[in-house]
Amino acid sequence: MRPVIGVTSMEMAVPDFSPVYKTNQNYIHAIREAGGIPVMLPAIGAEYAAEYAAGIDGLLLPGGADVNPLLYKEEPVRQVTEMHRDNDQFEFALIREMVRLGRPILGVCRGLQVLNVALGGNLWQDIPSQIEGSISHCQSYDIRSELTHWVNVDRDSLLFQVLGTDRLAVNTFHHQAARVLGKGLRAVGRASDGVVEALESEDGKLLAVQWHPECLYDKYPVFEELFRWLVQKAGQGNDR
């Protein structure tokens, strides 16, 4: 039986239409191509997290809005303008339940950030204004498959095993980044300015990247390996 991979989705307003729960198609297609069964998980409340987690073998945390700074005990800087606290709390609960069950998680962009905060870390709220000398981490959304900066990967990491390289060019669409790391996490990829670009857990069940492999895997096969890792890891621990 193919592993079932939950993909969280966020409620959003659509002009002249009822509100919808949104997950970009690229995530769904990437999981399917890696051999998994993608299932969208609408953020209907943190109290549903345990039941969701019980029904999936792995979890993909996609990109999206900023994590509400109040959830890591900070006031927002001026550049933080789009937040969805209910969605944050739903994902926090889901992450913690998946960790309790020992099931794998792959985080992408915001997914890295929400994973870090859920496990007790915090964030740089706005890279350009808070990190002196930072490079550009937010390219145009019109060129989502363009590679725009380098990431250096630790050779003693799970990420290196998955990608098979210690340096690769990536796309980038973020203005926040992990600052203080959450419990059990370590930084295994960084940009040239020192910004954390990848995290993983000590037990090898959590992996998160700051770039968007779902926009790259069909053009650059190395990025598909991240989704293959999630699906294969989920299949190994399928005890539902």
Side-chain angles (χ1 to χ4, degrees):
M1 184 176 180
R2 296 180 183 179
V4 176
I5 307 299
V7 185
T8 55
S9 59
M10 183 180 298
E11 184 176 357
M12 65 176 297
V14 177
D16 302 320
F17 197 72
S18 300
V20 301
Y21 286 101
K22 172 184 173 292
T23 298
N24 289 347
Q25 285 186 353
N26 288 343
Y27 296 110
I28 303 300
H29 293 170
I31 292 298
R32 180 195 63 192
E33 293 302 311
I37 301 294
V39 176
M40 289 175 59
L41 306 179
I44 57 175
E47 65 271 25
Y48 293 91
E51 291 171 273
Y52 272 145
I56 59 177
D57 303 305
L59 175 64
L60 192 156
L61 299 167
D66 294 340
V67 179
N68 191 310
L70 295 179
L71 296 174
Y72 49 94
K73 299 180 174 58
E74 292 185 13
E75 294 280 1
V77 300
R78 294 193 309 274
Q79 294 83 356
V80 174
T81 58
E82 183 183 0
M83 298 164 281
H84 301 276
R85 185 171 178 170
D86 288 346
N87 189 80
D88 296 339
Q89 293 177 318
F90 167 74
E91 290 189 330
F92 283 7
L94 188 54
I95 289 166
R96 291 163 183 163
E97 185 63 19
M98 292 293 284
V99 169
R100 187 186 73 80
L101 293 172
R103 295 180 183 165
I105 299 174
L106 175 64
V108 172
C109 196
R110 166 194 156 86
L112 179 151
Q113 297 159 13
V114 75
L115 178 67
N116 190 54
V117 176
L119 297 181
N122 65 17
L123 305 176
W124 293 106
Q125 291 190 41
D126 183 61
I127 293 169
S129 63
Q130 294 184 314
I131 301 179
E132 185 176 355
S134 60
I135 64 173
S136 173
H137 287 270
C138 194
Q139 69 193 63
S140 169
Y141 287 101
D142 294 332
I143 51 171
R144 296 185 71 87
S145 63
E146 189 74 18
L147 305 177
T148 60
H149 77 72
W150 293 98
V151 170
N152 296 309
V153 177
D154 290 355
R155 294 185 65 88
D156 65 344
S157 66
L158 168 64
L159 183 62
F160 175 79
Q161 295 176 26
V162 170
L163 298 177
T165 183
D166 61 3
R167 192 168 188 258
L168 74 166
V170 302
N171 56 358
T172 186
F173 308 99
H174 65 108
H175 79 116
Q176 299 196 322
R179 189 174 185 175
V180 175
L181 300 189
K183 183 179 180 180
L185 297 176
R186 68 177 185 125
V188 294
R190 292 183 183 271
S192 61
D193 56 7
V195 168
V196 172
E197 290 283 337
L199 295 175
E200 64 185 46
S201 62
E202 296 167 353
D203 64 5
K205 294 181 179 179
L206 311 178
L207 184 59
V209 299
Q210 195 60 78
W211 63 89
H212 281 263
E214 80 283 0
C215 299
L216 300 171
Y217 76 93
D218 55 347
K219 188 175 180 181
Y220 304 100
V222 64
F223 295 104
E224 187 174 4
E225 296 306 315
L226 291 163
F227 301 101
R228 290 188 184 279
W229 168 82
L230 175 61
V231 171
Q232 290 172 3
K233 193 75 171 178
Q236 292 169 5
N238 188 337
D239 58 357
R240 288 184 298 111

